[in-house]
């Protein structure tokens, strides 16, 4: 079913996606303070699975994947939806959401570095400046004046989120080389299903049945994270990708860390210090430059 939208409607939907993803980091931070990280990722994934089943069935995108698409289903399910989600949830137990989202969105920098090292893409001058800017931002946010190096939990939290970004980058690199049979939207339910089963089994084995003090507030947080921050956002992004140029979406997603920082300040009371602002500007600017460098190839 063709779900392309007019540019105006696609842009409006894209803004919703950026807001949903940005806010979701503060929501995840609140969730991991009440529920262990693996169970946070697992419960959110179950909510997303049910929501996607309804959305994809209603939109005519519910299919059985072909064998040729199984590798990409496993890649997204394990590298992004399992490893990335779990590492971010674990890292946010020890790190402010505002700093976590800046570290998490270094993913395009690792993609550019890996592609350059493997010589699958040429690192031109503009992209090199972008990567250098992003790495400079990473140094700023990791400096001892910004992060307490005497607290091993804080260092471990930052390391887990950087590792999460690298896992996401590895997934992106594989996706670029995959020959798709079904569309990404049609495979989304199966990716979430695999991730949900892996997360739930791993959580049961490693953490056991959690003792959770349920409240209306906690239920609403899970509903937001699973339905809006995951299922609805993924569906909406698939529709947006069909309706807007790739460069527009690449540059537009750089707004997600900005939204994340602002919402963490508003919802969680996290301070926006100078090092965070400088790091965010350098990393977001670096990603934007890298996206502009990729524009001729996308065209």
């Amino acid at each position: 079913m063709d779900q392309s939208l007019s540019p105006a409607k696609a842009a409006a939907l894209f803004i919703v996606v950026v807001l949903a993803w940005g806010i979701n980091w503060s929501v995840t931070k609140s969730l991991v303070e009440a529920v262990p990280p693996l169970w946070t990722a697992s419960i959110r994934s179950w909510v997303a699975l049910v929501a996607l089943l309804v959305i994809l069935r209603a939109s005519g995108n519910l299919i059985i994947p072909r064998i040729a698409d199984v590798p990409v289903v496993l890649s997204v399910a394990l590298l992004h939806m399992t490893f990335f989600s779990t590492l971010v949830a674990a890292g946010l137990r020890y790190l402010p959401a505002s700093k976590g989202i800046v570290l998490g969105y270094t993913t395009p920098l690792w993609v550019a570095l890996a592609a350059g090292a493997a010589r699958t893409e040429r690192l031109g001058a503009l992209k090199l400046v972008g990567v250098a800017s992003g790495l400079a931002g990473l140094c700023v946010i990791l400096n001892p004046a910004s992060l307490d190096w005497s607290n091993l939990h804080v260092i471990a939290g930052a390391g887990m989120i950087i590792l999460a970004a690298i896992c996401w980058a590895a997934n992106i690199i594989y996706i670029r080389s995959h020959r798709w049979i079904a569309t990404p939207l049609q495979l989304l339910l199966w990716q979430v299903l695999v991730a949900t089963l892996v997360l739930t089994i791993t959580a049961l084995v490693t953490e056991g049945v959690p003792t959770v003090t349920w409240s209306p507030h906690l239920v609403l947080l899970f509903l937001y994270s699973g339905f809006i921050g995951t299922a609805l956002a993924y569906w909406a992004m698939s529709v947006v990708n069909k309706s807007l140029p790739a460069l527009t979406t690449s540059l537009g997603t750089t707004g997600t860390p900005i939204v994340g920082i602002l919402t963490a300040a508003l919802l969680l009371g996290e301070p926006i210090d100078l090092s965070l602002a400088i790091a965010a500007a350098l990393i977001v600017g670096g990603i934007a430059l890298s996206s502009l460098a990729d524009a001729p190839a996308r065209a």
Side-chain angles (χ1 to χ4, degrees), residues 48-255:
L49 182 65
V50 173
L52 281 170
L53 182 61
V54 174
I55 292 171
L56 296 187
R57 184 174 178 82
S59 63
N61 284 294
L62 197 59
I63 65 157
I64 303 295
R66 303 281 186 88
I67 295 296
D69 274 332
V70 169
V72 80
V73 169
L74 295 176
S75 168
V76 175
L78 298 177
L79 287 173
H80 190 189
M81 296 182 176
T82 300
F83 295 153
F84 178 84
S85 296
T86 303
L87 287 166
V88 164
L92 286 179
R93 296 186 87 179
Y94 310 116
L95 209 64
S98 53
K99 292 184 178 178
I101 193 171
V102 173
L103 293 176
Y105 271 80
T106 57
T107 294
L109 306 177
W110 306 120
V111 172
L113 286 172
R119 297 186 178 180
T120 56
E121 292 182 11
R122 181 175 172 272
L123 288 179
L126 190 60
K127 182 167 281 192
L128 281 172
V129 172
V131 171
S133 173
L135 293 177
L138 194 60
C139 292
V140 170
I141 203 169
L142 293 177
N143 84 84
S146 177
L147 287 182
D148 182 5
W149 282 32
S150 64
N151 189 331
L152 293 179
H153 284 158
V154 171
I155 300 302
M160 283 187 280
I161 294 181
I162 291 172
L163 182 57
I166 293 171
C167 287
W168 188 5
N171 180 49
I172 290 172
I173 291 168
Y174 175 76
I175 285 174
R176 287 181 176 181
S177 65
H178 179 73
R179 292 188 174 184
W180 297 78
I181 306 299
T183 66
L185 181 60
Q186 291 172 329
L187 297 178
L188 186 55
L189 178 73
W190 301 98
Q191 293 160 350
V192 175
L193 175 61
V194 172
T196 302
L197 294 176
V198 172
L199 285 166
T200 303
I201 293 169
T202 307
L204 282 169
V205 171
T206 60
E207 297 177 348
V209 178
T211 302
V212 179
T213 304
W214 289 98
S215 66
H217 178 67
L218 187 61
V219 170
L220 286 174
L221 289 175
F222 270 119
L223 287 175
Y224 176 90
S225 189
F227 178 62
I228 298 176
T230 304
L232 190 62
Y234 275 124
W235 167 81
M237 197 62 198
S238 295
V239 175
V240 166
N241 281 331
K242 290 182 178 181
S243 309
L244 293 178
L247 180 60
T248 302
T249 56
S250 295
L251 291 174
T253 37
T254 59

Side-chain angles (χ1 to χ4, degrees), residues 35-49:
V35 181
L38 270 169
W39 279 112
T40 292
S42 177
I43 296 169
R44 174 177 59 203
S45 196
W46 277 107
V47 175
L49 182 65

